[in-house]
Amino acid sequence: MELWDLYDENRIPLGRTHPRGEPLPEGTYHLAVIVVILNSHGEVLLTRRAKEKAACPGYWENTGGAARSGETPLQAIQRELREETGLVAKPEEFTLLLREDRRTDCHFDIFALTRDVKIEDIQFQPEETDAARWMPLKDWEAVAGKVAPFLCPAGDEQEFYRRLEEYLQGRRQFS
């Protein structure tokens, strides 16, 4: 059974855990992480959600998932990256682009990572991911969250894309 740490609306840990898959108690949140993987050709790596997924099966998304109890956001994104793609990255390779609080039932940390990798080198996690593709960043921006089957990693799309552009220009610190 996977457990999540619970937080209040201000991201303050409540000192309690909650089993994944059960409705969260009112006024509580868990932590989720996402990584936008970019290559040197200006493309973003997307993975397709497996058909077995309860929410949005077959949709293209950025790698991510829920932090487990006791994990920091960096530990969670490293694990999710490894599990869903087989890729390994050190904590210092990630840049925290954006923190979003109280989106649905969780707080989100959205990271960026630069990595050139061949699609045939991606290792899929059964029942999680079943395909991957590189998509030009501008094409992805035009459809992410607007056209099925593409999910957008951020609720505040304007700020997210602004920061992503700054990341591509070399910025690695965001407040």
Side-chain angles (χ1 to χ4, degrees):
M1 175 174 52
E2 185 175 319
L3 294 176
W4 296 337
D5 289 328
L6 291 178
Y7 299 84
D8 72 8
E9 65 182 17
N10 299 310
R11 272 195 193 231
I12 297 172
L14 296 174
R16 302 188 330 244
T17 59
H18 187 79
R20 178 183 183 142
E22 294 185 16
L24 289 172
E26 187 174 333
T28 65
Y29 302 83
H30 70 99
L31 176 65
V33 293
I34 299 169
V35 61
V36 178
I37 305 166
L38 302 152
N39 68 16
S40 59
H41 305 292
E43 298 170 316
V44 62
L45 181 67
L46 302 175
T47 55
R48 187 173 62 198
R49 295 171 64 85
K51 66 180 183 275
E52 296 86 4
K53 297 288 286 181
C56 302
Y59 274 57
W60 292 93
E61 68 177 350
N62 302 95
T63 298
R68 294 178 180 161
S69 180
E71 282 184 324
T72 67
L74 276 172
Q75 290 168 334
I77 201 58
Q78 283 182 283
R79 177 184 49 76
E80 289 289 347
L81 178 67
R82 185 180 62 255
E83 287 177 357
E84 293 185 9
T85 67
L87 300 176
V88 176
K90 297 175 185 171
E92 59 270 16
E93 293 180 87
F94 294 95
T95 295
L96 179 60
L97 287 178
L98 191 63
R99 295 182 94 177
E100 291 187 343
D101 290 332
R102 299 179 308 278
R103 187 177 2 144
T104 62
D105 61 353
C106 59
H107 300 295
F108 273 93
D109 282 357
I110 305 170
F111 293 88
L113 174 69
T114 301
R115 185 62 48 97
D116 285 318
V117 63
K118 296 176 186 173
I119 293 299
E120 55 268 20
D121 292 336
I122 302 293
Q123 299 169 8
F124 304 112
Q125 180 182 17
E127 300 181 4
E128 289 287 332
T129 55
D130 63 13
R133 69 190 271 192
W134 285 107
M135 182 178 227
L137 183 59
K138 292 300 179 192
D139 293 350
W140 175 65
E141 287 180 15
V143 297
K146 301 172 189 80
V147 177
F150 294 93
L151 298 176
C152 184
D156 185 350
E157 291 181 38
Q158 185 175 5
E159 180 66 12
F160 168 71
Y161 290 126
R162 184 186 69 75
R163 289 181 182 208
L164 193 56
E165 183 62 35
E166 290 180 15
Y167 173 83
L168 290 169
Q169 295 170 5
R171 184 172 176 190
R172 295 297 184 264
Q173 291 289 322
F174 296 90
S175 54

